[in-house]
Amino acid sequence: MLNKQLLLAMLYLGGLSSFVTAALNNYALSKISAAKMSVFSHLSTIITIAAGIIILGEHLYTYHIIGAAFILLGIIGVNYHRKD
């Protein structure tokens, strides 16, 4: 617990990220319905993959691209074919 990098990561993930996520969710709910907004929560997986590649220098593999494509197709499919 005395490692500064660990403490900063915990503060970032536990505090700042949670606060920003909650604020963005509230903003999205003021603009679109809850059913549409909930589908966009799956974008966090794609954002996590991108952050790992950009910030941590992790490798991008084919299964990352395939999984991200399925997520995006699901989001597009639900919002495009949804009847309000």
Side-chain angles (χ1 to χ4, degrees):
M1 289 300 290
L2 298 176
N3 186 341
K4 289 182 184 179
Q5 288 182 331
L6 175 65
L7 290 175
L8 286 174
M10 287 177 14
L11 286 174
Y12 171 75
L13 291 172
L16 184 61
S17 294
S18 298
F19 175 74
V20 171
T21 301
L24 289 174
N25 281 338
N26 286 335
Y27 177 76
L29 283 172
S30 72
K31 302 295 179 187
I32 60 176
S33 67
K36 284 186 178 182
M37 195 275 307
S38 66
V39 175
F40 284 98
S41 67
H42 300 292
L43 283 176
S44 64
T45 304
I46 297 173
I47 294 169
T48 302
I49 293 170
I53 293 166
I54 295 168
I55 297 171
L56 299 176
E58 295 180 357
H59 297 286
L60 178 65
Y61 294 107
T62 306
Y63 57 84
H64 292 127
I65 297 169
I66 293 170
F70 278 127
I71 291 170
L72 290 174
L73 285 172
I75 292 170
I76 292 167
V78 167
N79 284 301
Y80 182 71
H81 294 295
R82 189 159 187 74
K83 295 179 183 177
D84 285 330

